[in-house]
Amino acid sequence: RVPTTIPKMLMMRELRMKEVSVVQFLAFVAQSVTSIGLALLDFGAKALAYGVLVNAAVELVAIYALRPIRAVFTFSIRCARELLAFGGGFTLARMANSVALQGDNLVVGMSLGPVALSYYARAYSVLAIPAALLDSIDGAVFPAFSRLQDDREKLRQAFVAGLAMLACIVIPTSTVVVVLAPELIEVLMGPNWNGAVLSLQILAPAMYFRTVYKFASTTARAKGAVRVLAISQVAYAVCVLGGAWLGSRWSVEGAALGVGLAVLAQCLILLPIAAKLVQTPVLSVLLPSQQSLILGGLLGVVAWGSVHAARTAHLPSPFRLAAVSLVCLGVIALSYRFAAERILGPELTSGIGKVMGKLLTSVPRRSL
């Protein structure tokens, strides 16, 4: 996979995301077909290894066909210094982030044992879903912001609009997760994992802070502020380890609270840094938008009332989860119809409008 890194990054810098996505999808399909086919032919565990090799080969050929590069065997001290300065800070930031992402599991496991660790890990896995979705679009946001790094006004507008969009999506989601935590745990993991419910409810409010600090981190990387980013990631790793250790002295829920506070601290560190880099007032982005809080409160009340009625009626967990989800989607649809910008905010309203427009244009019209 290493030989494809440079041409793939160049394609992403040129915003050729659709081509990269198609190549990765085709490589995944080739890997799946190879692994399944060889497994049926009794290749055993080797089927998985051969599938990975086929994936890498397909991606290598396709990427170089779409974006060939010419190797130049020269050496420049100035270029080497620039690469080491940027790459060194970026590598340190990634290493510190890896410690922060895995260190809490180590601390909880050593302090409270494997059972508590399993509850904590399951709760944290739900917390990480929105951030994982943000990671999937980071490949598009980073090159787009990099191209705008010299256009201060456009970068500032994109940064502010991105934060508003995240707030309007993640804050209502985290509110609903707090209310539906018992149903989510039972449906996704089974009734034997009820011990993770309280930890999930404690970690759910940190969804917003985690996605915001990741968005701020992407902005800082796009502006080339890798040294500041590295320092903040080291501080984050220390906060996560310390919070998990202090909280673990009481319970797994205490560890969840400690890690949640560490996520909040990282958000409060990185968000002002990113705001300063794009030259926007910190106070204007430090607090989430009014619309996101209104929508979060509205969906929280609706979800609580709906799930309370469903629990009283003794409906199974999957039906309770489906019913509340439909009710919440109905509230969003009504808000979009009658009070879009007042409740959903202009960014989310615009996003929904664009998605609906694409869906409507993709539906073939019947000729009369």
Side-chain angles (χ1 to χ4, degrees), residues 189-272:
M189 303 171 191
N192 295 329
W193 294 97
N194 289 332
V197 170
L198 185 55
S199 296
L200 175 58
Q201 291 174 323
I202 293 172
L203 286 171
M207 280 184 180
Y208 171 70
F209 304 114
R210 193 164 190 262
T211 52
V212 165
Y213 94 65
K214 281 186 168 291
F215 185 74
S217 173
T218 300
T219 305
R221 283 193 292 117
K223 290 289 291 184
V226 291
R227 292 184 180 179
V228 176
L229 182 61
I231 294 172
S232 69
Q233 292 291 354
V234 171
Y236 177 47
V238 172
C239 290
V240 168
L241 294 176
W245 179 74
L246 289 174
S248 297
R249 300 178 65 181
W250 286 275
S251 64
V252 63
E253 291 79 16
L257 178 61
V259 172
L261 292 175
V263 173
L264 171 61
Q266 175 70 346
C267 178
L268 294 178
I269 291 173
L270 268 180
L271 185 56

Side-chain angles (χ1 to χ4, degrees), residues 68-80:
I69 60 174
R70 183 172 60 90
V72 179
F73 298 97
T74 60
F75 180 77
S76 171
I77 296 179
R78 182 181 61 83
C79 293

Side-chain angles (χ1 to χ4, degrees), residues 95-118:
M95 292 174 60
N97 188 252
S98 297
V99 172
L101 292 177
Q102 303 299 329
D104 53 342
N105 291 327
L106 178 64
V107 172
V108 172
M110 293 179 62
S111 302
L112 299 174
V115 176
L117 173 60
S118 63

Side-chain angles (χ1 to χ4, degrees), residues 2-11 14 16 60-73:
V2 174
T4 64
T5 301
I6 293 178
K8 186 194 299 185
M9 292 301 104
L10 289 174
M11 291 180 67
E14 296 163 359
R16 298 166 63 182
L60 177 65
V61 173
I63 288 292
Y64 272 89
L66 293 171
R67 185 57 169 85
I69 60 174
R70 183 172 60 90
V72 179
F73 298 97

